[in-house]
Amino acid sequence: LPMQPETICSISVVIPVFQEEANLAALCDQLWPVLEGLPLDVEVIFVDDGSSDGSFAMLREIADTRAGVRVISFRRNSGQTAAIQAGIDAATHDVIVPLDADLQNDPEDIPRLLDKLRQGWDVVSGWRKHRMDAVVRRNFLSRMANRMISRVTGVALHDYGCSLKAYRSSVVKGVRLYGEMHRFLPLYAAMQGAKVTE
């Protein structure tokens, strides 16, 4: 059966932050114009994962000057999965969009993810076609791992490691994440019957 178009009224953007003082201003410069252009209620949840640089102070300043921004702070570094879990738990809107703070994800892709959700998908995964890290070794190993996971599970995604995804809240609320499980949340969702694309 064809999927039915679905309405999206609001989104929660969840951003784990660890030692990102140097990137936060550029991230905000890229993110706010995109969010302000969306005809939706928007909240942004920054999760400071025990940063020892000036990240937390910058986040507090952002929250003081921007409506709809919340900051969660960990006393110590707990890892990206724990930070994403905290953001999902705190999110209150229809759709949850995790986004890296290190400028590897382009906020301008958020409307494209939302367009796919409106077509009836439950999870839309991003795909970093032009990665900026360890080009040969890391990208090769990542491609091999993605192919193996896709072959074994039947959930064909090119980039399980890309944090930029869009989830209907109903699909991920109540899920308990641990280890590096945030990477495999689309797989878990598919196992529960969610419709997953990229």
Side-chain angles (χ1 to χ4, degrees):
L1 291 174
M3 289 183 288
Q4 298 301 310
E6 297 190 27
T7 303
I8 296 171
C9 297
S10 59
I11 69 166
S12 301
V13 179
V14 172
I15 306 176
V17 174
F18 180 65
Q19 312 290 59
E20 296 291 353
E21 180 181 10
N23 291 325
L24 288 173
L27 173 65
C28 290
D29 287 346
Q30 294 175 17
L31 181 60
W32 300 131
V34 173
L35 298 183
E36 289 165 357
L38 296 174
L40 305 170
D41 289 334
V42 177
E43 66 179 355
V44 178
I45 302 168
F46 289 100
V47 183
D48 179 59
D49 188 17
S51 298
S52 60
D53 62 357
S55 294
F56 180 66
M58 287 189 71
L59 294 175
R60 289 294 300 271
E61 185 176 326
I62 293 165
D64 287 344
T65 57
R66 290 264 176 193
V69 174
R70 286 186 284 156
V71 179
I72 298 169
S73 179
F74 291 173
R75 291 178 187 267
R76 61 180 181 80
N77 180 247
S78 298
Q80 191 174 22
T81 294
I84 290 174
Q85 178 74 71
I88 288 173
D89 290 344
T92 61
H93 289 342
D94 297 342
V95 170
I96 299 173
V97 177
L99 178 74
D100 279 341
D102 63 3
L103 307 179
Q104 288 248 17
N105 304 143
D106 187 348
E108 290 192 6
D109 288 330
I110 292 173
R112 296 171 62 196
L113 299 179
L114 298 178
D115 286 344
K116 288 296 248 184
L117 284 183
R118 289 188 186 96
Q119 294 171 20
W121 298 96
D122 300 309
V123 178
V124 183
S125 181
W127 173 12
R128 297 165 295 179
K129 287 191 177 181
H130 304 291
R131 292 181 62 177
M132 294 183 283
D133 57 351
V135 175
V136 177
R137 180 179 54 83
R138 189 164 182 175
N139 287 358
F140 174 76
L141 294 174
S142 181
R143 280 196 307 272
M144 292 300 101
N146 288 320
R147 285 181 191 156
M148 184 177 72
I149 294 165
S150 294
R151 188 173 298 129
V152 169
T153 65
V155 180
L157 298 179
H158 286 88
D159 190 359
Y160 275 90
C162 181
S163 293
L164 181 61
K165 294 177 170 64
Y167 302 95
R168 293 192 185 279
S169 293
S170 58
V171 171
V172 293
K173 280 289 192 178
V175 173
R176 305 322 300 166
L177 303 177
Y178 54 88
E180 291 293 307
M181 190 177 162
H182 71 278
R183 301 176 189 279
F184 305 108
L185 201 42
L187 173 56
Y188 176 85
M191 291 168 62
Q192 305 306 309
K195 299 182 289 290
V196 179
T197 190
E198 72 179 356

